[in-house]
């Protein structure tokens, strides 16, 4: 093997090492965190019959939960997944903010099909989620 081939092989090995190091050190979604459990096992105001997890798992197709600390320092649990809302199928993202001191949380923001929902639309979507859960519970017991 010539010196030129040795250099090419060496550069390829170095490049692959750097690439592997980057991939393994890349920031990954945190999907196992105490704040995620806090939100999942908690209850939204006015909906104390069922946990957030159970209600949203019934309404969302393949719900995905993740945690991150926002640039503002807030502790955010995000739920995303596909849902049918107002007769339209689309991807929804809900953001819950957890208070570190009290371990209480609130639903702060929502998007559906890349559009930020206003307060009235948020209430409508949450109401629809819990209504879906109630309907499925009724069917299960009939």
């Amino acid at each position: 093997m010539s010196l030129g081939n040795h250099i090419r092989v060496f550069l390829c090995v170095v490049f692959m090492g750097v690439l592997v190091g980057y991939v393994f050190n890349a920031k990954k979604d945190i999907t196992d965190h105490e704040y995620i459990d806090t939100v999942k096992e908690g209850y939204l105001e006015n909906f104390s019959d069922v946990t957030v997890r159970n209600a949203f798992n019934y309404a969302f197709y393949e719900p995905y939960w993740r945690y991150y600390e926002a640039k503002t320092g807030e502790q955010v649990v995000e739920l995303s997944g596909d849902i049918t809302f107002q007769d339209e199928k689309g991807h929804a993202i809900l953001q819950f903010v957890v208070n570190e001191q009290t371990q209480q949380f609130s639903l702060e923001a929502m998007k559906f099909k890349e559009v930020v929902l206003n307060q009235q639309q948020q209430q409508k979507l949450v109401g629809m989620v819990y209504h879906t859960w109630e309907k499925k519970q009724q069917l299960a017991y009939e």
Side-chain angles (χ1 to χ4, degrees):
M1 199 185 299
S2 71
L3 181 60
N5 285 340
H6 282 295
I7 291 173
R8 284 188 196 114
V9 169
F10 175 75
L11 289 176
C12 284
V13 169
V14 169
F15 175 74
M16 291 303 291
V18 170
L19 182 63
V20 168
Y22 175 77
V23 168
F24 282 106
N25 288 325
K27 189 173 183 180
K28 294 183 172 54
D29 282 350
I30 299 173
T31 57
D32 183 23
H33 192 276
E34 67 179 298
Y35 291 154
I36 294 173
D37 294 335
T38 297
V39 173
K40 283 181 171 182
E41 300 307 320
Y43 299 88
L44 287 179
E45 190 176 323
N46 300 324
F47 298 101
S48 60
D49 294 350
V50 61
T51 63
V52 170
R53 172 200 326 248
N54 288 340
F56 284 90
N57 280 355
Y58 270 106
F60 275 64
Y61 177 72
E62 295 184 2
Y64 182 77
W65 297 84
R66 74 181 186 115
Y67 158 80
Y68 64 92
E69 183 173 337
K71 291 178 183 176
T72 60
E74 293 176 309
Q75 308 305 309
V76 179
V77 173
E78 189 173 271
L79 166 62
S80 62
D82 293 332
I83 189 170
T84 300
F85 176 55
Q86 296 181 332
D87 298 322
E88 288 187 57
K89 291 182 181 180
H91 192 75
I93 300 173
L94 287 73
Q95 294 178 333
F96 302 86
V97 174
V98 180
N99 182 310
E100 291 179 88
Q101 284 76 34
T102 65
Q103 299 293 307
Q104 300 291 319
F105 65 90
S106 58
L107 181 55
E108 293 295 323
M110 248 185 252
K111 284 171 65 174
F112 179 69
K113 296 175 75 171
E114 298 299 321
V115 176
V116 176
L117 302 182
N118 64 34
Q119 192 69 29
Q120 183 181 4
Q121 292 167 320
Q122 289 180 21
Q123 290 173 350
K124 190 176 262 189
L125 188 139
V126 170
M128 186 269 316
V129 165
Y130 281 88
H131 182 73
T132 299
W133 179 82
E134 289 172 359
K135 287 277 192 197
K136 287 187 179 184
Q137 291 304 304
Q138 290 172 353
L139 291 174
Y141 291 113
E142 289 181 355

